[in-house]
Amino acid sequence: MIEANNRGRPVYLLKGHLLHDCFDNIAHRLLGHKRAFAKCKRRGLLSRIFLG
């Protein structure tokens, strides 16, 4: 988590960020909770270029 930061502020604290959901899910899985996988709602750059 140290490397994933946004100008010194941990990304984990930014609730709207996709990485926040990923780190949150990982932490809950390590504690034994069942969590759904994070889903990216936006299409990436490469999929927009190659898939139209």
Side-chain angles (χ1 to χ4, degrees), residues 6-30:
N6 184 13
R7 297 182 186 158
R9 184 173 180 199
V11 175
Y12 185 79
L13 298 176
L14 304 174
K15 299 274 183 186
H17 204 280
L18 181 63
L19 282 178
H20 167 76
D21 293 335
C22 293
F23 282 128
D24 193 48
N25 286 342
I26 291 169
H28 280 281
R29 284 190 196 116
L30 289 174

Side-chain angles (χ1 to χ4, degrees), residues 3 12 14 22 25-26 28 32 34 36-38 46-47 50-51:
E3 291 182 20
Y12 185 79
L14 304 174
C22 293
N25 286 342
I26 291 169
H28 280 281
K34 292 187 178 181
F37 289 103
L46 292 177
S47 68
F50 293 114
L51 300 177

Side-chain angles (χ1 to χ4, degrees), residues 30-45:
L30 289 174
L31 293 174
H33 302 140
K34 292 187 178 181
R35 298 292 293 245
F37 289 103
K39 295 182 180 177
C40 184
K41 296 176 183 169
R42 291 186 297 170
R43 291 176 53 196
L45 176 64

